[in-house]
Amino acid sequence: MADPSVTAIGAGWYLVDDGERRWRVAVAGEGDTQWVFVDGQVETIEAPKPGRRRARSTDPGVMSPMPATVVAIHVAPGQTVAEGETLIVLEAMKMELPIRAPRAGVVKTVACAKGDLVQPGVNLLEFE
Amino acid sequence: MTVGTHTGSIRRLLIANRGEIAVRIMRACRELAIETVAVYSDADVDAPHVRAADRAVHLGAAPARDSYLDGAKVIAAAQASGADAVHPGYGFLSERAHFAKACEDARLVFVGPPSASLERMGSKIGARRLMVEAGVPVVPGEAPADQADASFTAAIERIGFPALIKPSAGGGGIGMKIVRTAAETVDALAAARREAKASFGDSTLYVERLIERPRHVEIQVFADSHGNVVHLFERECSAQRRHQKTVEESPCPALSATVRQAMGRAAIAAARAVDYRNAGTCEFLLEGDGDSARFYFLEMNTRLQVEHPVTECVVGVDLVHAQLAVAAGAPLPFTQESLSQRGHAIECRIYAEDPAQGFIPQAGPILLYREPQGPGIRVDSGVAAGSIVSVHYDPMLAKLIVWAGSREGARQRALAALREFVVLGIRTNIPFMIQLLQHEQFVAATIDTGFLDREGVAIAAATVQELPAAALAAVAEHRRLGSRVSAGTPGTPGSDPFLTLGGWRG
């Protein structure tokens, strides 16, 4: 297939002709992540980041997937937990969101308190 | 009182809500030449509902309890802005009897039922008792007076498993917990109390037998202060995930004319039992289909429903216009004999959530936004490009409502419209809706209320598809143009060296 021709047709909109048919594609976002829409399908596309190591050796711990409020903490430091056990209960957008243990282990620290508004990507709890 | 419109006694209306419903009510007000007053929190300073209003009053901090749920602040805002009426929308203060009473005391017209009706229906426990007295069929259930865990455990033993624990106040599936074994009861009660307390400020619970694989079918009713009560037929709302409705339609394909009539009569009886006034909805569970189907009263929602546009499309009425007329003391603008169903309507609720990641609610900025248009397509929305979806409120961004002559026509129209509905910057359930509307059970109209909880994950998985090469070519062009712009603009960060043509990765 020949290289598709791409024509910008308005803020964030592109008309792409791949030789077979034409597609109307919307793209948004600056920097490393672009959001793309075509025919009801939505994806994010990351720019490749050479020089940044992918793997991290540290334990990922337990994080909130989104901004949320801590409504209950079911564990304390030193406590042994089984995989899948509910550690913390968060609430976001009127829904309770149980955070479960990703593996069996011993809780080292609890880095949040009941009532805290927690952000995604921040450890709520560490395992030993 | 001025002469002219039938809403003459309402000249300036405060809308005690946000998002799509506030915008929709303001649109009705413009049509009726009623001035509008918006209220807003710190999170909504630039929100579409604030921009759409003639006046706007700041309430307080972003959390709902400091703003949209603070009845005293809302009433103060109404008085300060010279409003003579308050429309509560849905959610927030809409079903709180004390708020309706406070409006009445402040001589503000509450666009809703009298506080006395709210009190009687607002307690789902009291409502059940009233319905039994009015001859409306109900699901077996109990409401322990002392609310103790042990009393619930005993009640569930009598009712039988599975049981459903529900908050007495509120709705929307919040705080509802299914209990399948005795061991789950105590945890479920604790979670239900927390959610009920947080969302409704009232942790009172009750428990019912769970009817397995029922449909959720509800009847729209409307009553005025002249003794007229009518029903506006049904809405089928079985496509629910964790008791949160996602797709609603009308008519309900499983409802025979006989059962439809019986449900309409029951809904009118329910409304009369509480001296109802305003738009209201009687929710029923439907077991089976055709003439042999049985229905049970679930609850009455004493407000305008999220899914009211489905009825507006099929019946050809404007429910907000009618609400304002009735609140102003006018008789209903329609009679039972004048109402009929025409064609088929489907509503898709567009949520900020990521179906591929367990439907986790999403928050963040909307970078690009475009609504579908065309014959038979209506979008009620409360966001725009540049809106920041906040963690503080319900994740519903918009509703797509389509109408066509037949169910299949409406399904095809909804699919085409969803494929043109662009929301970039946060994940939404639009790709999920596209899959759901093509599911063989949706096509066959055999969905029960448990369908999405059983099949939702599989349907979400089907949304993960390879992107056409055309999309990647557009991204590459976007990056090339973007890097050229930023490189040529002093004072902005330089072009990203990694944003080169062909640097994308699917």
Side-chain angles (χ1 to χ4, degrees):
Chain A
M1 190 170 58
D3 276 355
S5 77
V6 184
T7 312
I9 53 169
W13 284 90
Y14 300 88
L15 188 66
V16 182
D17 192 331
D18 64 7
E20 204 168 311
R21 61 160 282 193
R22 301 201 295 177
W23 309 74
R24 280 159 301 278
V25 184
V27 187
E30 294 170 8
D32 289 346
T33 304
Q34 268 72 45
W35 291 76
V36 58
F37 167 97
V38 60
D39 277 353
Q41 192 183 350
V42 173
E43 293 301 339
T44 54
I45 313 276
E46 303 289 333
K49 301 185 191 72
R52 191 179 293 184
R53 274 193 299 272
R54 277 186 73 96
R56 289 200 298 173
S57 56
T58 51
D59 193 305
V62 175
M63 297 176 188
S64 171
M66 60 176 303
T69 306
V70 178
V71 292
I73 295 171
H74 289 322
V75 292
Q79 189 174 332
T80 302
V81 296
E83 185 182 332
E85 192 175 328
T86 300
L87 306 171
I88 292 167
V89 181
L90 301 177
E91 188 188 83
M93 292 171 167
K94 306 196 293 187
M95 290 291 195
E96 286 206 353
L97 197 69
I99 300 296
R100 300 180 200 282
R103 60 177 175 84
V106 178
V107 176
K108 186 181 173 192
T109 52
V110 176
C112 60
K114 195 173 161 183
D116 282 1
L117 181 66
V118 295
Q119 296 297 328
V122 178
N123 269 340
L124 303 177
L125 181 148
E126 278 183 319
F127 283 110
E128 281 184 356
Chain B
M1 197 167 110
T2 56
V3 262
T5 70
H6 50 301
T7 55
S9 68
I10 299 175
R11 278 182 298 226
R12 189 176 294 166
L13 179 75
L14 181 138
I15 296 94
N17 215 297
R18 63 181 301 282
E20 66 88 16
I21 194 60
V23 175
R24 189 261 175 272
I25 294 164
M26 289 173 197
R27 187 168 285 129
C29 289
R30 276 197 302 279
E31 291 164 1
L32 297 169
I34 294 170
E35 290 178 44
T36 54
V37 182
V39 289
Y40 63 97
S41 73
D42 287 349
D44 281 339
V45 174
D46 297 318
H49 82 272
V50 181
R51 291 179 178 170
D54 298 321
R55 291 174 169 74
V57 181
H58 177 249
L59 288 180
R65 66 176 175 276
D66 300 325
S67 48
Y68 301 104
L69 276 174
D70 189 330
K73 280 184 183 166
V74 171
I75 285 172
Q79 288 171 327
S81 60
D84 41 36
V86 175
H87 195 309
Y90 54 69
F92 294 129
L93 296 166
S94 63
E95 295 184 276
R96 300 201 172 184
H98 68 81
F99 179 70
K101 182 75 170 50
C103 286
E104 289 162 13
D105 292 346
R107 298 182 173 230
L108 292 162
V109 174
F110 180 70
V111 183
S115 58
S117 302
L118 271 173
E119 254 162 42
R120 278 186 269 177
M121 274 300 183
S123 156
K124 292 182 185 175
I125 298 164
R128 266 184 64 90
R129 204 175 306 126
L130 272 172
M131 290 308 106
V132 173
E133 287 166 13
V136 178
V138 299
V139 176
E142 290 188 36
D146 66 358
Q147 292 286 307
D149 285 5
S151 306
F152 276 102
T153 305
I156 292 171
E157 288 298 329
R158 284 189 292 273
I159 292 164
F161 292 100
L164 186 62
I165 294 170
K166 303 166 85 170
S168 183
I174 294 153
M176 285 195 200
K177 302 287 164 194
I178 295 172
V179 179
R180 293 191 183 278
T181 63
E184 293 169 16
T185 306
V186 171
D187 281 355
L189 285 168
R193 283 193 188 106
R194 273 198 304 274
E195 289 182 25
K197 181 79 185 164
S199 290
F200 315 119
D202 180 353
S203 62
T204 310
L205 306 175
Y206 68 109
V207 62
E208 281 179 353
R209 193 174 77 216
L210 180 69
I211 309 264
E212 299 244 50
R213 303 214 172 193
R215 284 174 185 263
H216 173 120
V217 180
E218 60 189 29
I219 302 283
Q220 175 74 52
V221 294
F222 221 123
D224 65 18
S225 51
H226 303 269
N228 303 305
V229 187
V230 301
H231 75 84
L232 295 95
F233 311 100
E234 80 280 12
R235 291 182 291 258
E236 148 73 64
C237 314
S238 299
Q240 309 183 352
R241 209 185 58 76
R242 296 178 62 193
H243 298 286
Q244 191 78 40
K245 294 167 188 166
T246 60
V247 180
E248 300 101 338
E249 60 184 298
S250 184
C252 167
L255 217 55
S256 73
T258 314
V259 178
R260 178 175 293 120
Q261 270 189 4
M263 287 177 80
R265 277 197 302 271
I268 288 173
R272 288 203 185 279
V274 291
D275 296 322
Y276 197 69
R277 186 185 71 213
N278 182 42
T281 295
C282 289
E283 296 188 335
F284 295 96
L285 287 179
L286 185 75
E287 230 178 353
D289 52 30
D291 279 345
S292 62
R294 287 147 60 105
F295 60 90
Y296 307 95
F297 175 87
L298 270 181
E299 61 186 69
M300 182 166 180
N301 295 318
T302 48
R303 56 172 154 83
L304 191 67
Q305 296 272 102
V306 174
E307 59 272 26
H308 75 276
V310 165
T311 298
E312 294 185 324
C313 289
V314 171
V315 184
V317 295
D318 188 307
L319 292 171
V320 177
H321 282 205
Q323 277 191 302
L324 292 166
V326 165
L332 274 174
F334 32 72
T335 61
Q336 190 68 64
E337 295 68 37
S338 70
L339 300 171
S340 62
Q341 293 169 297
R342 182 170 157 268
H344 198 98
I346 298 177
E347 175 181 276
C348 299
R349 297 191 186 189
I350 309 304
Y351 288 113
E353 64 183 17
D354 187 353
Q357 304 289 325
F359 299 90
I360 290 171
Q362 305 287 293
I366 294 179
L367 302 174
L368 189 71
Y369 182 81
R370 197 181 71 173
E371 295 172 353
Q373 297 179 335
I377 295 173
R378 164 177 170 181
V379 179
D380 285 13
S381 62
V383 295
S387 292
I388 294 169
V389 178
S390 156
V391 65
H392 295 288
Y393 314 112
D394 187 282
M396 197 179 77
L397 305 177
K399 308 180 307 206
L400 166 70
I401 307 103
V402 300
W403 181 91
S406 67
R407 182 174 193 269
E408 180 57 14
R411 191 186 70 88
Q412 297 286 2
R413 180 162 280 170
L415 272 172
L418 286 166
R419 289 195 175 109
E420 289 181 14
F421 203 146
V422 187
V423 184
L424 294 182
I426 52 167
R427 295 273 175 185
T428 74
N429 64 340
I430 292 170
F432 177 84
M433 285 287 180
I434 292 171
Q435 294 301 318
L436 171 60
L437 263 58
Q438 295 178 89
H439 194 283
E440 58 179 3
Q441 276 196 256
F442 189 89
V443 176
T446 56
I447 285 177
D448 64 85
T449 58
F451 171 79
L452 279 185
D453 290 327
R454 294 190 301 273
E455 302 294 334
V457 172
I459 295 168
T463 64
V464 181
Q465 294 171 1
E466 201 175 329
L467 267 182
L472 302 177
V475 172
E477 179 66 3
H478 185 79
R479 284 181 176 156
R480 193 181 68 80
L481 294 174
S483 63
R484 209 173 54 192
V485 169
S486 57
T489 312
T492 58
S495 67
D496 187 324
F498 308 122
L499 302 184
T500 52
L501 186 66
W504 42 261
R505 182 185 291 168

